Amino acid sequence: MRRTPFRWSVSLFLASALAAPVAAQGPIFQTPGTPVYPAKPADSGGESGQADRFASVFNPAFSFLVDTVADYVDFERSSDASGFDADLRVLEAAAQAWVDPNAWAYFVGASEDEGLAIEEAALHYVGFGNSTLRAGRFFIDFGKQMQTHVHELRTLARPLVLRAYLGQEVKGDGVQWDHWLPVGDEAAVRWSLGIFSGLVPEEAEFASGGVSQELAERKDFGELNFTARVTAFGDVGSHGTWQLGASARAIPEFTAVDAVNALRQDGLDSTVFGADLTYGWVDDTGQERVTLGVEALVSSGDTGFDVDDPDTTPGTGDETLVVLDDSLFGAYVFADYAWDRFHSGGVQFSAAEIPDAAGSDVSELELYFTRWLSEFHRLRFVVASSEDDTRADALRFAVQYTGIVGAHGHGVNW
Amino acid sequence: MSTYTRRTLSTLVLLAAPAFGGLAGDPLRVVTTIPDLADLVREIGGERVEVSSIARGKENLHAVSARPSHLVAMSKADLFVEIGRSLEVAFVPGLLEGARNQRIRPGAPGFVNVSEGWEFLDVPAELSRKAGDVHPQGNPHLNLDPRAGRHMAERVLTGLVRVDPDSKDAYQARFEAYCARLSEAEARWKAQAAGWTGRAVVVYHQEFNYLASASGLAILASVEPKPGIPPTPNHVARVIADMKAQGCKVILTAPWSNDNNLERVAEATGATIVELPNQCGAVKGSETWISMMDVIHQRIGSALSAPR
């Protein structure tokens, strides 16, 4: 009597062990409990599913990119180190492929020190009509330039105001929903909403006072980080295109931490709003182009940090963490002209109030010329002048050489 | 039923109809990548179609920018027609992905690739960017082959019938009428090109290879060292030397590529620059595919027959 349940269990175990491999995607032999994937019919790729582990027919498209910069910086103050430098600014490796008819996935790895860090890795579900659900790690949808990788920018650096208020590159782990709809025959509106575990800048470029921003590991829903963007774009006559957008990034709850003096301040928040307007014109041949753009940002909430240390000796206990709760304004404007497919030049000016008690300003003016040697590599020459109330003014001359190898794409620029 | 009631009901039906997929008599919305294909759709579809083209006549097809109106048109289209073979890779994949129109996705009934079944020239034996911006499946400038009209029209007809089978007879009748006109035009082009065999020409970009193959022209060199690679001084000097050595006096180019490199070559060799339409509408009088081929043959004929 006692042995009957045991016999049944053994029989079921053996039956499932024998049945599992028939439906499995991967190994021919499969033990119970290993992952089982939905199998396709035998005539569409074999009984083991989309491909076996040794088939390469469904491999994703791979690419890599090398972005190098050599520059000379001349600081106005002799105490700052002027001179030449050369840098492999980024080595980027990427792969992308369709998962099935309704989803595709990609990853982008970028060099960081001597390693390769995951810059983006996300799945796009596109089976909801005009909507897209994006999940994973990806750049935030804010304005016209924050989704762009630094080597893809029209000039050497992201506009200063974006670096100051949002960060050099802002990526987050989370999900984003976006949707677009036509308005008449010549215009469209798109909106997106993103929810992330964290969007604090990895490194604050201005007025951080050595203070880092930290988020709780686990949060209430209201403490998650958010992005939102709505943009409309349309034709202007037969040669022009306009785009108007509004963006927001919110960090409702973070902590400022000064590790040196063991100081921390909880319950801080930060929100950045932006509004952008872009106009593009292209001639009959599609080669001569003019692009003009402006984006204004307001950074509000707890925007700046400093450590007040009366005796100027860290760790003596008289230090206090100073948090600046203020609204700051900044903007950038650019004009870009391409006289054919291979030559373009332009100017970009950016200015911003930075978060310090003195109410300092910074500005940056860049002039650039880009020569595409072919569709796949380019040379760029840049002169940049920066004025900074808190640091020395500087003049920078740079040469950038960038090459793309492998799959690359052009598409609708939202 | 009173007149008032009938009018009210008719008005309600008319207002409600769009919500149920449009009126039965609505024209098919067709988007093509280039004006040549739009012309063929118009010829075969007649009043049953409403067609728009993404590229304008003068554009370099490798550098067309997608515009918001293109995205909207693609999202509403019943039929999409492309040349294919990655000719339109600069704008089609992004538009297809953005438009999210299941009716015109590759493989759907509303997707037409007119290059299917065509025998391609210049298929690279080895795939490497060392050869420039090469197209893996061969030279994609099929629309500039005077022999390709019927092939492209057949693919358009098949696509129209697939998405609108009720109008098959009408499409077939218009297709046959078009083919009759095409046959006359083909005979005309053949006669015009009769004396061109072996005559050397230089091109800027390898977009006239099919035309040369059909008419017997010998392409001596391209001003681009490789497809998509801008001319270098060394290469231009070699082209000039070759032209002088061969006595080549004709340079074929399109409006997008008629630049100062060609002027230098023409000045150095005494050659004539012949600007040809690379798509319908690129030059005056080339608004239809047949008229575009007429213009191409007339211009080349004039240049070749000019006193040397």
Side-chain angles (χ1 to χ4, degrees):
Chain A
M1 291 288 284
R2 280 182 187 175
R3 295 174 90 172
T4 306
F6 175 72
R7 282 179 186 160
W8 273 107
S9 302
V10 169
S11 303
L12 280 171
F13 173 77
L14 288 172
S16 62
L18 290 170
V22 176
Q25 176 196 25
I28 298 302
F29 178 78
Q30 187 151 11
T31 53
T34 53
V36 177
Y37 300 94
K40 283 184 174 179
D43 59 358
S44 71
E47 65 180 12
S48 59
Q50 60 178 6
D52 68 44
R53 72 175 67 179
F54 303 112
S56 59
V57 286
F58 290 107
N59 274 352
F62 284 98
S63 66
F64 71 91
L65 177 145
V66 178
D67 183 35
T68 59
V69 176
D71 65 351
Y72 175 81
V73 179
D74 180 21
F75 282 102
E76 196 178 65
R77 244 178 0 217
S78 57
S79 57
D80 292 293
S82 299
F84 290 97
D85 192 18
D87 224 2
L88 166 65
R89 190 162 69 154
V90 69
L91 162 69
E92 185 183 283
Q96 49 261 308
W98 283 97
V99 175
D100 72 6
N102 290 318
W104 64 278
Y106 73 105
F107 82 81
V108 178
S111 56
E112 198 173 278
D113 300 324
E114 298 307 310
L116 202 65
I118 298 171
E119 196 154 60
E120 292 192 89
L123 283 153
H124 286 224
Y125 186 82
V126 294
F128 297 126
N130 286 3
S131 297
T132 302
L133 177 67
R134 198 176 190 192
R137 178 179 299 175
F138 48 92
F139 281 17
I140 61 168
D141 185 14
F142 188 106
K144 286 287 287 179
Q145 297 208 31
M146 289 310 292
Q147 282 200 68
T148 309
H149 290 237
V150 68
H151 57 81
E152 293 173 319
L153 296 166
R154 68 175 54 78
T155 180
L156 195 60
R158 208 176 296 281
L160 177 144
V161 62
L162 297 177
R163 304 197 314 261
Y165 293 173
L166 295 165
Q168 174 64 263
E169 288 188 334
V170 185
K171 53 187 179 273
D173 292 2
V175 294
Q176 179 184 292
W177 178 272
D178 69 60
H179 183 80
W180 79 272
L181 62 159
V183 179
D185 287 335
E186 295 188 345
V189 171
R190 174 191 178 267
W191 59 263
S192 73
L193 180 65
I195 304 173
F196 300 88
S197 62
L199 294 175
V200 295
E202 287 169 8
E203 220 176 284
E205 187 164 337
F206 298 99
S208 69
V211 176
S212 62
Q213 297 171 59
E214 292 182 2
L215 297 166
E217 190 73 25
R218 299 252 161 212
K219 312 165 186 72
D220 291 336
F221 181 79
E223 294 170 356
L224 291 166
N225 293 188
F226 301 91
T227 62
R229 175 162 169 80
V230 59
T231 179
F233 41 98
D235 292 9
V236 183
S238 58
H239 292 75
T241 306
W242 62 269
Q243 181 170 13
L244 185 63
S247 314
R249 185 231 58 188
I251 303 173
E253 175 84 27
F254 70 93
T255 302
V257 178
D258 171 30
V260 175
N261 299 296
L263 300 171
R264 55 188 295 128
Q265 172 83 52
D266 295 316
L268 305 177
D269 67 89
S270 159
T271 307
V272 180
F273 297 99
D276 56 276
L277 176 64
T278 313
Y279 172 77
W281 173 90
V282 61
D283 78 340
D284 276 341
T285 68
Q287 301 186 117
E288 187 182 359
R289 292 159 190 267
V290 175
T291 313
L292 308 170
V294 60
E295 185 170 5
L297 288 91
V298 174
S299 177
S300 62
D302 301 302
T303 52
F305 320 97
D306 207 350
V307 177
D308 184 22
D309 186 359
D311 68 2
T312 67
T313 308
T316 54
D318 65 338
E319 302 86 6
T320 51
L321 183 59
V322 180
V323 177
L324 189 75
D325 184 353
D326 200 0
S327 286
L328 307 167
F329 178 78
Y332 71 86
V333 57
F334 70 86
D336 185 273
Y337 173 62
W339 50 97
D340 61 31
R341 279 181 82 191
F342 299 105
H343 301 86
S344 65
V347 58
Q348 179 169 280
F349 176 74
S350 181
E353 296 170 342
I354 59 169
D356 68 1
S360 305
D361 296 328
V362 290
S363 66
E364 194 169 75
L365 176 69
E366 279 186 276
L367 296 168
Y368 60 90
F369 165 73
T370 305
R371 167 80 161 102
W372 283 90
L373 303 166
S374 75
E375 197 179 333
F376 311 105
H377 61 151
R378 65 158 190 245
L379 264 177
R380 178 172 288 149
F381 302 90
V382 182
V383 181
S385 163
S386 58
E387 291 186 8
D388 188 333
D389 288 351
T390 62
R391 296 183 291 196
D393 295 348
L395 195 60
R396 183 185 188 196
F397 303 89
V399 182
Q400 179 188 19
Y401 180 44
T402 310
I404 305 160
V405 182
H408 71 289
H410 315 270
V412 177
N413 184 359
W414 298 111
Chain B
M1 195 182 283
S2 71
T3 308
Y4 175 79
T5 310
R6 277 184 195 147
R7 279 184 185 160
T8 307
L9 282 174
S10 306
T11 307
L12 285 174
V13 167
L14 281 170
L15 288 172
F20 296 96
L23 296 169
D26 278 355
L28 279 183
R29 287 162 296 195
V30 184
V31 176
T32 68
T33 53
I34 64 172
D36 310 39
L37 298 174
D39 173 57
L40 295 176
V41 171
R42 239 175 254 119
E43 289 285 0
I44 299 163
E47 290 178 352
R48 286 174 171 76
V49 298
E50 189 181 279
V51 61
S52 64
S53 165
I54 294 169
R56 290 185 289 261
K58 292 184 177 177
E59 278 168 308
N60 174 357
L61 278 172
H62 303 301
V64 173
S65 294
R67 290 156 56 80
S69 56
H70 299 149
L71 186 69
V72 175
M74 294 277 279
S75 74
K76 296 177 179 176
D78 301 303
L79 188 73
F80 171 71
V81 188
E82 65 163 16
I83 293 283
R85 297 300 190 266
S86 73
L87 177 65
E88 304 103 330
V89 73
F91 56 101
V92 165
L95 280 172
L96 278 174
E97 192 192 318
R100 304 290 171 79
N101 182 344
Q102 296 299 327
R103 294 188 296 273
I104 59 165
R105 294 301 293 262
F111 179 85
V112 177
N113 175 340
V114 301
S115 64
E116 266 176 20
W118 188 253
E119 197 174 317
F120 282 84
L121 297 177
D122 312 324
V123 180
E126 183 195 354
L127 271 181
S128 166
R129 288 292 181 206
K130 200 176 171 187
D133 189 10
V134 291
H135 294 260
Q137 294 147 317
N139 190 318
H141 297 282
L142 166 69
N143 62 309
L144 294 172
D145 191 332
R147 301 163 298 193
R150 192 168 281 97
H151 178 91
M152 294 191 292
E154 277 169 2
R155 266 67 197 165
V156 168
L157 170 69
T158 306
L160 284 170
V161 170
R162 212 162 45 214
V163 296
D164 183 19
D166 293 346
S167 304
K168 181 181 176 185
D169 292 345
Y171 295 141
Q172 186 68 39
R174 291 186 67 92
F175 170 75
E176 281 164 15
Y178 182 70
C179 285
R181 281 193 288 135
L182 197 55
S183 296
E184 287 171 21
E186 284 166 343
R188 189 164 65 239
W189 302 330
K190 203 171 177 183
Q192 283 173 306
W196 298 0
T197 306
R199 297 291 297 273
V201 295
V202 159
V203 297
Y204 181 91
H205 179 65
Q206 293 182 13
E207 60 198 322
F208 300 112
N209 292 19
Y210 289 104
L211 177 71
S213 161
S215 60
L217 289 171
I219 294 179
L220 178 67
S222 302
V223 178
E224 283 181 333
K226 304 276 182 188
I229 307 295
T232 60
N234 275 348
H235 180 74
V236 169
R238 270 198 298 275
V239 171
I240 290 170
D242 288 349
M243 286 179 75
K244 284 179 175 170
Q246 301 284 324
C248 175
K249 295 289 182 193
V250 174
I251 305 166
L252 305 182
T253 188
W256 69 267
S257 55
N258 194 357
D259 64 14
N260 53 10
N261 286 297
L262 296 191
E263 281 171 28
R264 276 183 54 207
V265 176
E267 228 170 73
T269 58
T272 307
I273 299 171
V274 184
E275 190 176 277
L276 300 177
N278 58 323
Q279 302 171 62
C280 289
V283 304
K284 202 177 170 190
S286 67
E287 283 70 29
T288 67
W289 193 76
I290 289 177
S291 67
M292 177 182 78
M293 280 296 159
D294 279 331
V295 169
I296 286 174
H297 283 79
Q298 284 157 11
R299 291 192 175 190
I300 295 176
S302 302
L304 290 174
S305 61
R308 301 185 192 188

